[in-house]
Amino acid sequence: MKYIIIVLAFLAMSCNNKAEDAHAHNADGSHLGEEIPRLDHTIWTDKTELFVEFPALIVGNPSRFAAHFTVLDKHQPVSEGSVTVSLIKDGKGIRNTVDAPSSPGIFSPTIQPKEAGTYQLVFELKTPEYSDKITIDGITVFANTEEAIKVLGTAEDDGSISFLKEQAWKIDFQTAPVVSGKIYDVINTSGVWMPSPGSVKSLVAKSNGVVDFAVSNLTEGAQVKQGQLLMNLSSRGLSSNNLSTEIANAKANFEQSRADYERKKELYESKIISKAEFEKVESNYSIAKSNYQTLSSGVSGGSKQIRAPFNGFIKSINISNGDYVEQGVALLVIGTNQSKVLKTQIAPNYGLTMENMQGIWYQTKDGHWTNVTKDGGAILSISKDVDREKPLISVFAQVNAAINMPEGSLTQVQIAMGNAIQKTMIPVNALLEDYGSYSVMVQLSGESFERRSVKIGKRNGENVEILQGLEVGEVVVTTGTYQVKMASMSGSTPAHGHEH
């Protein structure tokens, strides 16, 4: 009987505890079982992407932000600096500053609102490289959790692709906005790379002699630096055309003519000799001086030195080590990739002229399109004549961007002509192609993406016209598209690498 009474007493205590638990409340008076809704915002400036997550702002509740800051150039996390978050209403408010990220790219300031209402949420980023300010308008501070849940509801899966900022920061990733830009009619053709004037120089022997290579790996394609010693021309042991003998004779002639010049100059200034006689002596002195300087220039140890005139590479070598060469013989040819001429040919029925040609794009070996005007390049000319032997007209452009494609190799070319039309466009690299159909990865928010079908129009170099599927201001993935696509096929959402 005693045991039954104890058990009943224990059950009564348990019921009382459950009743108390059922009526437990949060600090704001709401029930403990109610979860505060979370919000997120993604804002882009010309420098930064801010993706911020935080619990709904409630009077008296501290809200901790997970503010992800990405430098748009190369899409890397902000790893140094401070962030100040301010909650402002009618010019007044509260703020909190964190002096360093909690992890690379993520800053975690906290705000505890004091009064319900509609506010501005301002983030001020300061890094060693630059500063940025991002404002989010219309942020509501709720009186309690129940009000926040009533207005915001509960989170639901929208079916978007999840790709975390931590994933994007670890790979080669880039985005670009959908913009309105000029689209031209284009002529699709090909071009061939040619050397530009001044980018190739032939080095000749400036004296007779035996060739002695100064570089052990002097071969075609080898890189050379300006001023680098490539070979020597030695005339030692030669009975005729000996450089050392020629220099000695030139020096003696120069010194003799200089002494004669100085003596005659005094006589001429004293009006003892005529002007004609002095000018003859002066001319002989100048010739002897020039001859001596030319022979002795670039000579070391009795050998004439051949040096690289600029940074570049060896295009061809016309002699072998140990060969005897005479003055004026071509020794080798040096070239550079710093400047090239792009030659392309088209049919004359296009009616292309310098007046209606708007630009030229070419494709490099990595598949990226570049405008010839980059780094100061320019369209040079269009040929005028067409005949049976040459039925096409040639177009020439100077390309100053570094081109690592061999001379004589082909590249794809687009020539823009006519009047431009303002159209919606994106970078070509954003396109995903499946059997002739195209789609892109649209960034809905910082970590949310959507694959969307698009209809494309004209291609203008690195850009493509969008006829259907995108609106100006949306953001698409241009690099890392494949990784986002794979995330959409994984069927699971990876765990976040930071606290939410």
Side-chain angles (χ1 to χ4, degrees):
M1 186 69 173
K2 180 171 67 174
Y3 293 104
I4 295 174
I5 293 173
I6 293 174
V7 171
L8 291 174
F10 177 79
L11 290 174
M13 292 172 61
S14 177
C15 291
N16 289 336
N17 288 338
K18 287 182 180 178
E20 291 176 4
D21 288 343
H23 293 85
H25 291 78
N26 291 306
D28 64 351
S30 61
H31 295 298
L32 279 173
E34 296 173 319
E35 183 178 353
I36 298 176
R38 296 191 64 86
L39 303 173
D40 67 82
H41 292 270
T42 305
I43 307 292
W44 290 270
T45 69
D46 58 346
K47 302 175 184 177
T48 315
E49 175 197 301
L50 167 63
F51 168 60
V52 59
E53 298 176 295
F54 57 96
L57 301 181
I58 298 171
V59 173
N61 274 19
S63 291
R64 186 167 182 254
F65 295 84
H68 307 62
F69 283 92
T70 303
V71 182
L72 289 180
D73 182 25
K74 299 182 180 179
H75 210 87
Q76 289 299 300
V78 174
S79 56
E80 292 182 82
S82 65
V83 167
T84 298
V85 59
S86 303
L87 192 62
I88 302 172
K89 180 182 179 183
D90 299 329
K92 300 178 181 180
I94 55 177
R95 65 173 53 194
N96 179 238
T97 299
V98 289
D99 295 324
S102 54
S103 60
I106 304 174
F107 294 79
S108 304
T110 299
I111 286 287
Q112 186 171 350
K114 299 178 180 179
E115 184 179 331
T118 302
Y119 291 77
Q120 274 188 334
L121 193 59
V122 180
F123 292 86
E124 296 174 83
L125 171 68
K126 294 183 179 180
T127 76
E129 291 76 28
Y130 75 101
S131 299
D132 210 349
K133 183 176 181 180
I134 300 173
T135 300
I136 306 174
D137 294 317
I139 297 296
T140 301
V141 173
F142 297 97
N144 51 57
T145 303
E146 292 174 342
E147 181 183 338
I149 294 174
K150 182 179 179 181
V151 173
L152 302 176
T154 56
E156 295 181 1
D157 186 2
D158 59 3
S160 62
I161 303 166
S162 178
F163 195 74
L164 306 186
K165 300 308 299 181
E166 291 89 338
Q167 292 175 279
W169 291 334
K170 291 178 181 178
I171 64 172
D172 191 10
F173 191 85
Q174 194 66 57
T175 60
V178 181
V179 299
S180 177
K182 294 180 178 179
I183 294 291
Y184 294 92
D185 289 329
V186 296
I187 303 169
N188 290 290
T189 181
S190 62
V192 61
W193 292 109
M194 303 169 54
S196 66
S199 67
V200 176
K201 187 171 184 178
S202 180
L203 305 184
V204 301
K206 296 182 178 179
S207 66
N208 302 328
V210 177
V211 176
D212 179 23
F213 286 3
V215 180
S216 59
N217 61 341
L218 196 64
T219 56
E220 292 183 4
Q223 297 292 320
V224 295
K225 295 182 179 180
Q226 182 177 7
Q228 181 181 353
L229 179 62
L230 304 179
M231 58 181 66
N232 293 296
L233 294 180
S234 175
S235 59
R236 291 177 183 175
L238 299 179
S239 58
S240 62
N241 298 320
N242 188 293
L243 180 60
S244 297
T245 302
E246 291 180 0
I247 292 175
N249 291 335
K251 183 178 181 182
N253 188 30
F254 164 62
E255 291 176 346
Q256 177 63 41
S257 62
R258 181 174 61 183
D260 194 23
Y261 165 77
E262 291 174 350
R263 184 174 64 255
K264 296 288 186 180
K265 183 178 180 182
E266 292 179 359
L267 295 175
Y268 172 69
E269 290 174 348
S270 300
K271 298 183 179 181
I272 297 175
I273 64 173
S274 66
K275 181 178 180 181
E277 185 178 352
F278 171 70
E279 287 179 345
K280 183 178 180 180
V281 172
E282 185 180 36
S283 176
N284 290 338
Y285 167 63
S286 297
I287 293 172
K289 179 180 179 182
S290 176
N291 186 40
Y292 171 63
Q293 289 178 341
T294 300
L295 285 173
S296 59
S297 175
V299 175
S300 177
S303 297
K304 197 77 169 179
Q305 296 181 328
I306 306 299
R307 296 181 178 273
F310 46 71
N311 294 337
F313 62 94
I314 297 175
K315 287 178 60 66
S316 62
I317 302 176
N318 304 322
I319 41 83
S320 299
N321 197 19
D323 284 353
Y324 171 78
V325 296
E326 294 183 350
Q327 183 176 348
V329 171
L331 303 173
L332 72 166
V333 178
I334 304 294
T336 175
N337 282 328
Q338 292 181 348
S339 181
K340 275 187 169 65
V341 168
L342 179 62
K343 175 185 177 181
T344 183
Q345 294 183 307
I346 61 172
N349 60 342
Y350 284 109
L352 185 67
T353 65
M354 289 294 289
E355 289 72 26
N356 67 12
M357 182 166 49
Q358 304 298 331
I360 296 178
W361 295 282
Y362 62 90
Q363 197 173 52
T364 57
K365 67 177 182 178
D366 56 6
H368 292 171
W369 288 94
T370 305
N371 198 309
V372 296
T373 57
K374 182 181 179 181
D375 296 333
I379 300 170
L380 298 176
S381 62
I382 302 175
S383 63
K384 305 297 184 182
D385 299 328
V386 178
D387 55 36
R388 183 175 300 176
E389 299 297 326
K390 297 179 179 179
L392 302 177
I393 62 173
S394 298
V395 181
F396 298 90
Q398 179 81 35
V399 177
N400 292 335
I403 302 296
N404 294 320
M405 302 181 73
E407 290 170 11
S409 62
L410 298 175
T411 184
Q412 294 185 50
V413 172
Q414 291 181 352
I415 301 176
M417 62 180 296
N419 297 320
I421 300 176
Q422 203 75 12
K423 292 288 185 177
T424 301
M425 66 183 188
I426 63 171
V428 171
N429 294 338
L431 292 177
L432 289 168
E433 182 178 3
D434 291 312
Y435 302 104
S437 298
Y438 296 93
S439 61
V440 295
M441 289 294 178
V442 182
Q443 186 176 8
L444 303 176
S445 67
E447 298 181 334
S448 179
F449 297 81
E450 172 187 81
R451 184 171 182 176
R452 190 182 303 171
S453 296
V454 295
K455 185 177 180 181
I456 68 171
K458 299 171 186 175
R459 297 183 186 232
N460 277 195
E462 66 271 26
N463 294 315
V464 60
E465 177 188 5
I466 297 297
L467 301 175
Q468 184 178 323
L470 290 172
E471 298 292 336
V472 172
E474 292 187 293
V475 175
V476 296
V477 180
T478 57
T479 304
T481 312
Y482 179 75
Q483 285 84 346
V484 180
K485 178 183 177 182
M486 293 303 295
S488 70
M489 300 168 63
S490 65
S492 61
T493 302
H496 284 269
H498 52 271
E499 181 182 347
H500 286 282

